Amino acid sequence: MTTRPALHRNLFACGVLLGIVAEQVVLFAVPLLIFQDTQEVSALGFAYAIEWLPALLAYPFAGLLADRDGGPRLFSIVTAGRGVVLCGALIACLAAPSLLTPILMVSGALLSLLMAPVRMSVEKVVPQLAKGTELAKVQGLVQSMEVSAMAVGPALAMLGVAFLDKIWLLGGAAVVFLAAAACWLPLPRGTRSPSSGDAGETLAELRLGWSLLVRSRPLVLLASLNFSINLVFATVLAANAALVTGVFGAPESSFALLNICIGVLGIVNLLVIPFLLRYVEVRMLGVFGLALLCACLLLIGFANSMLLYGSAFVAAMVGVTYFNVFNRTMRIRVLPEEHLGKVMGPFYLLNMLALPIAGLLVAGSGASVSPQRLVLVLAIALTGFGAIMLPLTIRSFGRALAATREESLVGAKAE
């Protein structure tokens, strides 16, 4: 196994954690600010859709940039850019408070656009830090860092609003983004794909990425499964602020408490997942995670109290965590490292297409169908779809990996 110095791994993990902490602070502040300003669930839905649409177009190009750059420098530049965007949003909101909602929607779109290169950089660097059996552990570390940040981010946000107005959380998040960018500056560039950068070559690389994705049956199946999961869970996230403070009449602190509980369980999973992987195959984590997610989404659809809703919401995120260890590990195992960004860009585009669609569903159905009823209908559909697609996906990955091992053995004998 090839390992990077311990310092590089620690800086990698710290950069991921701080970047997502900043995201969580923004995700805490912005929906509450918009709902407080408009008192309309549809505004939350439209904001969610607008926030994610730019990322869809950015992901394929971000994948190319990650391949060309190697990952670390791109992460630092773009993460610092997200801090600059938040500083601009804070200044604009203070200067024109009557335009708060449009300003936050525009800044959300810019943050989403810049998030694509960040995600692609992480995808590019992970296989540089771990190989073979260690890959699932590092992917578990990344996933746990993402969920753990859901404790730290809202906790910092709640501490901030105890002394300051919520609008100042944007400035705090900007500082954390800049700290995250600094963490990755010492990391080596890693594997890079030389490129002249002209339009013809860029289009050829984009075509290659889509071609490799479409020809990979396991990745196509996994993308369809991810899309369905994202659609249902993003519907919950888009309406979460309205459900907590509106439907269940809970205080804003409950909105933060949900994410804090998720983060605490994420920290627990940080310790549990490596232990489980000693005895359980990563595919079984995927099965357990999806089953738990579906069960909890059904409970969210039927919940008649904040206690039941909150418990189901937290447990659903735990299900997402376990499924994503399977998701992240399996897709990297079937991709050549030199083309990782080219393929993962379109893969993310297909996955994230569900997010603006979910926002538009919440915005469009707010008057006729409650968000909770919408979640219930989608959860029932996901349960049936997942029961069919997950076994097919696992079997397809098994065949692809077996074929890769057989090719390796043939090549070794030929040599």
Side-chain angles (χ1 to χ4, degrees):
M1 180 187 71
T2 302
T3 59
R4 295 285 182 178
L7 176 61
H8 290 163
R9 286 199 179 190
N10 292 337
L11 288 173
F12 166 83
C14 186
V16 171
L17 178 63
L18 289 176
I20 303 172
V21 165
E23 288 181 7
Q24 290 302 315
V25 172
V26 174
L27 289 174
F28 170 85
V30 170
L32 288 176
L33 286 167
I34 291 177
F35 191 60
Q36 177 181 295
D37 187 50
T38 65
Q39 292 298 313
E40 295 180 0
V41 177
S42 60
L44 290 176
F46 281 122
Y48 201 81
I50 292 171
E51 176 184 348
W52 286 101
L53 281 173
L56 296 180
L57 301 176
Y59 270 113
F61 296 96
L64 296 186
L65 289 174
D67 277 344
R68 294 173 181 178
D69 173 79
R73 189 178 66 171
L74 179 64
F75 177 94
S76 294
I77 293 172
V78 176
T79 302
R82 300 177 84 186
V84 173
V85 168
L86 284 178
C87 289
L90 174 60
I91 294 171
C93 288
L94 292 175
S98 62
L99 299 176
L100 183 142
T101 294
I103 290 170
L104 292 179
M105 286 185 176
V106 172
S107 63
L110 291 174
L111 291 174
S112 173
L113 184 67
L114 294 174
M115 184 182 66
V118 171
R119 294 289 187 267
M120 292 295 96
S121 297
V122 174
E123 292 284 345
K124 186 70 176 178
V125 172
V126 165
Q128 297 171 18
L129 296 173
K131 305 291 183 183
T133 57
E134 292 295 309
L135 183 60
K137 294 180 181 179
V138 175
Q139 293 289 15
L141 172 66
V142 173
Q143 184 63 31
S144 295
M145 283 292 180
E146 290 184 355
V147 180
S148 298
M150 300 185 76
V152 180
L156 289 175
M158 286 302 299
L159 181 63
V161 297
F163 303 98
L164 302 167
D165 189 86
K166 285 189 289 292
I167 195 68
W168 290 101
L169 293 178
L170 301 180
V175 173
V176 180
F177 271 132
L178 294 174
C183 286
W184 277 42
L185 287 175
L187 297 187
R189 293 283 293 276
T191 305
R192 285 174 283 172
S193 299
S195 172
S196 63
D198 62 74
E201 183 177 359
T202 298
L203 289 175
E205 290 179 336
L206 289 173
R207 285 196 297 268
L208 176 60
W210 280 103
S211 176
L212 291 171
L213 174 60
V214 171
R215 292 204 305 263
S216 176
R217 176 179 170 81
L219 287 180
V220 171
L221 292 174
L222 183 61
S224 64
L225 186 57
N226 284 352
F227 176 89
S228 61
I229 292 171
N230 286 340
L231 179 64
V232 187
F233 204 68
T235 302
V236 179
L237 294 176
N240 191 30
L243 287 172
V244 171
T245 61
V247 174
F248 298 112
E252 292 180 355
S253 58
S254 298
F255 184 64
L257 184 61
L258 283 180
N259 286 339
I260 293 173
C261 291
I262 290 169
V264 170
L265 287 177
I267 295 171
V268 173
N269 283 325
L270 182 63
L271 304 174
V272 171
I273 289 174
F275 174 79
L276 288 178
L277 288 171
R278 297 178 186 175
Y279 308 100
V280 179
E281 292 184 10
V282 69
R283 63 181 180 180
M284 294 308 299
L285 288 183
V287 173
F288 172 75
L290 182 59
L292 177 61
L293 173 62
C294 290
C296 292
L297 288 171
L298 291 171
L299 281 177
I300 287 174
F302 285 113
N304 56 7
S305 68
M306 182 61 201
L307 179 62
L308 181 57
Y309 172 81
S311 301
F313 184 87
V314 172
M317 186 59 80
V318 174
V320 171
T321 299
Y322 281 92
F323 178 81
N324 271 341
V325 175
F326 161 81
N327 173 28
R328 292 174 182 272
T329 301
M330 299 306 292
R331 68 197 189 198
I332 286 182
R333 284 179 176 173
V334 299
L335 283 173
E337 187 173 332
E338 65 271 18
H339 298 309
L340 184 60
K342 298 180 187 67
V343 180
M344 289 311 301
F347 184 86
Y348 264 77
L349 187 154
L350 295 175
N351 290 347
M352 298 304 177
L353 182 62
L355 276 65
I357 292 176
L360 293 174
L361 283 175
V362 172
S365 62
S368 56
V369 180
S370 69
Q372 192 175 11
R373 183 62 59 86
L374 178 62
V375 170
L376 177 59
V377 172
L378 292 175
I380 293 171
L382 174 63
T383 302
F385 185 72
I388 297 171
M389 290 300 297
L390 184 57
L392 292 176
T393 303
I394 291 174
R395 189 178 302 117
S396 184
F397 271 108
R399 290 174 179 172
L401 292 172
T404 301
R405 285 193 295 269
E406 184 176 344
E407 290 176 2
S408 298
L409 289 173
V410 170
K413 290 179 181 178
E415 290 177 2

